[in-house]
Every structure is written in structure tokens, then in C-alpha cells.
Amino acid sequence: MAEPKDGDLPRKLNFVIVGGSLGGLAAGIALKALGHHTTILERNPTALLHDQGAGIVAGGDALEFLERYNRCKRPISVSSHRRQYLDRSGKVVHKVDMIQNMSSWDLTYHIFRANYDGTLSPYCDAPHLDASHGSATHLHNRTVTSLEETPTGVLVHWKSTTDPSVTGSLLADRVIGADGPSSTIRSLFVPNLERTYAGYCALRGTVPESEATPETLSALAHRFTFYHGPGIQILAYLIPGINGTVEPGQRLINFVYYTNFPADSPELDEILTDVHGTRRRITIPPGMVSPQAWEKQKVIAIENLPPQFAELVCKATKPFVQAVTDVISPEHEFMNGKVVLIGDALAGFRPHTVASTSQAAFDAMIYADHVQGKVSREEWKRETMGFARFIQQRGASKPRREEVYPEWAIKI
């Protein structure tokens, strides 16, 4: 079967999107707005993903995505007016006035779900159905096991996450792998590619602003605040609170604390061993961190961090831990374009780049533009692969529209 040329695609295609976090939802929202039918397969056994406890810096592409597709009428972020750097004593030693928008993973997720399949939540009302949109189906408890190319598309085989004896399949015109940095879809085509540990972890958590001392809240409120020390970096900013509220006094102070843990060290084993004694490979979710391990981190924080940051680490009640890794696929389309990778499934950025959410939003938008025929295959590949390769290599980002990618990054 010949692959359709740009702009010649049928009006309504059937897309199967593997992964129901932000990247998968973004792709579903963008494609259903074009009238295409989408089905999301999410391996999580529950209908909703649990609160990840994380703050998000809503960059340019994330905001553009929301402006283009969001139909929920509510505030989406808390503004930060300044970037500032503290010394060990907690004194501001450098500052730059800069407006940035800070949100939370859970608010963004529920806004995306409301826009995708009308899921109701305390975070936002579901928008009215748009008759021009394609269908949107969200199926949880589905772990994809294999893909089979057919003359008419791709057969997606899955099994139940909780009961592997339950299996099924769906026929798709196209498949989108949006299943994160440990992507199953990527592994089917690039089986020997593994996530590589970068030598440090992100210790993360939130503290209600009402529980911070007045001195700490005054220093951190509406500011993106950093501290750098030997082998450590920590940052903090305000994010929406429970059910996404942005009301003063009800928001959360989010912190991300990067610190070195040598590979195969007892210290790394300790911080990645959860409350039940299980050694996790990459992530310990909120509330599952060993109390003993976190008590040790509190002592280290008091000894090494400015007092404002040490207070946050000591007051966090549900911290979580992420081992920082690198991974990037050498390609992002397979089966002659019938299967594509987007977001973290294509390239898992280190969290300090604050680019993952923007990458997911951008990849979804430009892929929808490609499907619509507004963007050629060559431009789509150059832009998405250039972004992925360049940020992965450089380890830092600035607004994507300001980037000039070197030739090696956009070679296709």
C-alpha cells in the first residue's frame, strides 16, 4: 500500500496512541481537532493517572498548545516574575527580571483529559463537544506487546496490565508512540537502546505555601529561585495547589534538588529503595520514599543548602525521587511512517532543561500540521529531530523559536 503524500491523507484516519500521559493526550487532542479518530492505550491499571507531584515550567510551545486547543476556561499557571540565585547563607547574589509561567503536572493532565475525552474532575469542567472533532477513546489497563504491519495499516496487539491472559488488538492507520523514556514502541524498533544513568538524581517535593515560614515564602514567592553548590543544584517555584487552585495561600512551593549519587554506590541503592524495601530502577513515586533515607537527606540539606531550601526539604511530606537518565532514538518514524515517536519516547531530556512538556506539545502540534499537509515530511523530521538531538546534546534549552540547529542535528 503506497503511503499517502502530504496533504492527500483521508479526512478521517484511525490513530492508536500508545501512552496516556501529557504527550499522548496532546497528540490525541491535536489529531481529533482535525476530525481524525483516536484511541489512547494506557498501561496504567486505573482510568486516571495518579498525581505525579511535579511542577512544570510552561514554556512557549506548551503555552502555544494550550492557546490553540484548550477549551477549559480556568487559570493554568502561577506567574514567576524573576529568576534569582542565592548564596549558601540565603542571600540573593544575582537576579534577572523575567516572566515565566509555572504549572503542575496534575493540573495540566486534567486539563488535557477534559479536552481529550471530556473527563470530569475538580480541576476543570469538560468543554462542550465539538461536532467537527473526531472520536476520542481512552482505554486503560492496556500494555502493548507488539505491532504488526498489514496492507491496510498496523495491527496493535495488547494485553491487560493486571491480567496478562486477557489480550486484544486494534487496527490503526497510524500508531504514535508516546509512552515515555522507557518506550515499549521504541524498543520494538530499536531493541538495544537503553536509558543511561547520568550520575545524579532529582529529589523532588512540594510544601504548601501556608506551611512555609514567612521569611521563606517572602524569598521564594513569584520567583524562580536557584542555588548551586559543589555537586548539587536546587531550584524552587510556586505552582497551583490542590485541584489546581491558584489562590494565594493555597498554592504549593515546588522544589527540585539535584545531587550526585555515583552509579552502583550504596548511596544510590539507598535513595532508590522504597518504603517496602524494593530497589527501584529509576523512580520512586510520591509517598513511597523510605523515611530513613529521607531523614538522611534532611540532615544533608541542613548542612549544605541555604536555609530557605533546607526548610522545603525538611517539610516535604511526600517527596519522590528520579534517577536522571539520557536516551534518544536515532529515528522517529518506522514502517514507512505508519509508526512515529513523540516526546519522551523520542528523547528523554534531563529535567533541568525544563523542555519535556514543551517537547511533547511541539511534537504533537507539528505532527498534526504534517498530517494536515501544512508541513512537509522533511520539515517535520528536521524540526522534531533537530529539537530532540540538539537539546539532548547540549543539556539546556531556550525558547525553541530562538534556536538555530547545527547541521548534524537536522540531518535526515
Side-chain angles (χ1 to χ4, degrees):
M1 178 179 177
E3 189 66 15
K5 296 180 180 179
D6 297 339
D8 293 336
L9 292 169
R11 173 62 182 136
K12 292 187 177 181
L13 294 174
N14 289 309
F15 287 86
V16 168
I17 301 166
V18 182
S21 190
L22 302 186
L25 289 170
I29 291 167
L31 290 166
K32 81 159 194 169
L34 296 177
H36 299 296
H37 302 300
T38 61
T39 299
I40 288 177
L41 300 181
E42 168 53 47
R43 64 175 172 256
N44 194 281
T46 61
L48 293 172
L49 296 182
H50 299 296
D51 178 9
Q52 303 293 301
I56 290 174
V57 179
D61 288 304
L63 293 177
E64 181 180 341
F65 181 90
L66 289 166
E67 290 169 1
R68 188 187 294 193
Y69 298 110
N70 179 32
R71 297 187 295 131
C72 297
K73 307 300 182 183
R74 59 144 299 149
I76 61 173
S77 62
V78 178
S79 292
S80 169
H81 305 143
R82 176 188 298 169
R83 290 173 72 101
Q84 64 181 16
Y85 297 80
L86 308 183
D87 65 11
R88 174 65 181 80
S89 70
K91 178 183 177 182
V92 176
V93 292
H94 180 71
K95 60 185 178 181
V96 179
D97 290 337
M98 179 185 298
I99 301 295
Q100 293 183 273
N101 297 286
M102 314 308 202
S103 193
S104 63
W105 183 93
D106 59 308
L107 174 57
T108 307
Y109 173 78
H110 285 284
I111 287 176
F112 279 23
R113 279 300 298 267
N115 281 282
Y116 177 65
D117 64 350
T119 296
L120 296 172
S121 74
Y123 292 84
C124 56
D125 295 327
H128 295 297
L129 293 175
D130 188 323
S132 69
H133 286 188
S135 61
T137 303
H138 187 285
L139 301 175
H140 62 281
N141 200 31
R142 306 298 203 275
T143 296
V144 172
T145 55
S146 63
L147 302 179
E148 178 184 348
E149 188 172 14
T150 74
T152 57
V154 182
L155 199 58
V156 182
H157 298 283
W158 58 265
K159 66 180 179 181
S160 166
T161 305
T162 55
D163 184 358
S165 67
V166 177
T167 61
S169 60
L170 292 171
L171 183 63
D173 294 301
R174 292 191 178 183
V175 175
I176 298 175
D179 48 344
S182 297
S183 171
T184 295
I185 301 304
R186 186 187 66 233
S187 71
L188 295 175
F189 297 96
V190 195
N192 296 320
L193 184 64
E194 298 287 342
R195 298 174 69 174
T196 304
Y197 177 55
Y200 64 102
C201 292
L203 315 183
R204 308 185 66 161
T206 60
V207 175
E209 63 175 322
S210 60
E211 296 181 11
T213 61
E215 295 78 13
T216 292
L217 182 59
S218 175
L220 303 181
H222 298 289
R223 294 171 176 86
F224 196 177
T225 306
F226 297 80
Y227 169 70
H228 295 258
I232 59 174
Q233 181 197 61
I234 188 167
L235 57 88
Y237 50 86
L238 280 176
I239 63 172
I242 295 175
N243 295 332
T245 181
V246 296
E247 289 297 316
Q250 300 179 41
R251 302 163 299 188
L252 300 172
I253 305 174
N254 173 79
F255 70 86
V256 187
Y257 175 20
Y258 303 108
T259 186
N260 292 339
F261 291 90
D264 301 320
S265 66
E267 293 81 7
L268 181 63
D269 287 340
E270 180 181 46
I271 200 63
L272 286 177
T273 299
D274 68 21
V275 67
H276 300 301
T278 301
R279 169 56 158 89
R280 303 287 187 118
R281 179 169 175 258
I282 292 173
T283 302
I284 299 184
M288 294 290 288
V289 174
S290 162
Q292 293 80 10
W294 195 253
E295 285 300 320
K296 183 177 293 187
Q297 294 306 315
K298 289 181 182 180
V299 173
I300 294 172
I302 292 170
E303 293 174 348
N304 293 284
L305 298 180
Q308 300 95 326
F309 284 119
E311 179 183 332
L312 298 182
V313 173
C314 290
K315 288 184 174 179
T317 58
K318 291 186 177 181
F320 64 106
V321 178
Q322 295 174 301
V324 177
T325 62
D326 294 314
V327 67
I328 184 168
S329 177
E331 183 52 86
H332 74 333
E333 64 171 342
F334 308 94
M335 291 185 180
N336 294 317
K338 293 178 182 177
V339 179
V340 302
L341 302 176
I342 69 168
D344 289 342
L346 168 58
F349 296 150
R350 298 189 188 189
H352 73 266
T353 65
V354 295
S356 292
T357 305
S358 285
Q359 179 195 26
F362 172 65
D363 284 358
M365 288 189 293
I366 195 169
Y367 183 66
D369 287 345
H370 168 54
V371 169
Q372 192 178 12
K374 294 170 62 176
V375 170
S376 70
R377 174 178 176 272
E378 290 73 21
E379 182 180 354
W380 164 63
K381 288 183 70 69
R382 282 197 305 270
E383 289 294 322
T384 51
M385 291 304 299
F387 186 38
R389 291 167 177 164
F390 192 46
I391 302 305
Q392 180 80 13
Q393 178 71 22
R394 192 175 65 182
S397 68
K398 59 183 180 181
R400 182 187 51 79
R401 296 183 187 278
E402 299 177 11
E403 299 282 16
V404 178
Y405 302 133
E407 187 62 32
W408 60 263
I410 60 175
K411 185 178 180 180
I412 59 175

